[in-house]
Amino acid sequence: MNHSLGQPPPRCPYRLSALALVVMVSACRPPPPTPPPEPAPPLPGPILRMEPVAGDTAEAVFAMDPVTLGTTLVYRARSPSPTQSLVVPGSSPQRRAVRLDRGSLSGPLTVDLRRGFSIALRVRIDGQGDLLGSAGASNGMIVAVGNGYSDGFRIQADTPRRRLTFSIGRPAAPYSVSVVSPPVEFGRWLDIVATWDGHVMRLYVDGWLVAERAMTASYTVPARNILTIGYANAGVGSLNMAFERAELFTQALSPSACLRLLVPDVVPTAEFVELWDSLAVAARRSKATEEELAQLDALRSAADALPITFRLAARRLEAELASQHRNTARAADAYLDLCDHASAPSGWSDGAREELRRFLREGATAGWSPALLDRLAGS
């Protein structure tokens, strides 16, 4: 076919430009893989770790880190008492613990805690020990550095009320500054963490922040800087207690780090850690903000790929924040998950049952769905 001079031939309708070919080829390629979530930083390393190693006496079983302190914990007993502490089964078949009452494990402490510290312990409190506190008070020492009243710090248990008290000593009136936990369950293993960052002291039980208060005074180093597990006198009695392990840090652990100590071999995502550190502190306030409440979905999503402990922790946090906002239906749904799951730490599930009972006492079930009410009835 002839074309007029200077006129381009008609374009073929099937001819594709090079750009179009590139676009078509690119569209056929699979999308690049989604990068894995950024892992959280590793847990801080303790400056001191005490846990079972070998032997049949407390002196052989528990040893301080020789690199740090070059010493062992010495078992001392207030007469009359057996000459050896009793080694008992620990929280799992692979672990052992030491039964303490009139006796204690103690050794010199040379690390500097003035910029902040954390101490994490696993103990089982079975009741009041043989020795009472000042004026016959029913209480007992769990751990102390110094006396925890005019210097150092201590954690003790009030046995009738089953509450834990974390105190930092001060050299002048009103002397010690303290935070107190809600009642804890005796007769089971408890993971207790106490922290101070130079500004705020916090107490955790089973990875959960249970008490906090400001404490900006300087830390007073004891003249006799002795770490004692168990009975330490100082006006506090003894506990019938099994002690499995303790770790001491020269910094305040974050809320997420205290939770991670329950499953230290698991590395959560950085997103989970950031959200948890924000929301765990918010849950201690009288009421979280709407923005914080909106972050719960992101927290649960971040927990979905993690082991069950983290998923249940997210549900418990959701329950507490929802309860603050009087959304009792949402709170109850989350609490029921804790009650129904065998992997939930017993302290979490017991607390969830108590909250559900409170909802019933207060008549807070109005507006709940029939499915939720049926689930509650079957729990």
Side-chain angles (χ1 to χ4, degrees), residues 23 95-96 99 112 131 161 164 178 183 186 240 246 252 272 278 327 349 374:
V23 171
R95 293 186 175 276
R96 293 189 297 170
R99 169 72 62 189
D112 188 354
L131 306 174
R161 296 174 180 82
L164 308 179
S178 302
F186 283 8
N240 179 3
F272 178 90
S278 170
N327 188 342
S349 54
D374 288 345

Side-chain angles (χ1 to χ4, degrees), residues 10-35:
R11 189 168 184 179
C12 173
Y14 303 106
R15 184 179 297 167
L16 296 174
S17 68
L19 178 60
L21 286 170
V22 170
V23 171
M24 289 180 66
V25 171
S26 299
C28 295
R29 290 176 181 165
T34 303

Side-chain angles (χ1 to χ4, degrees), residues 20 71 82 130 160 215 236 239 244 254 302-303 347 379:
T71 187
D130 291 343
M215 211 304 271
V236 181
L239 294 170
E244 185 180 278
S254 66
S379 67

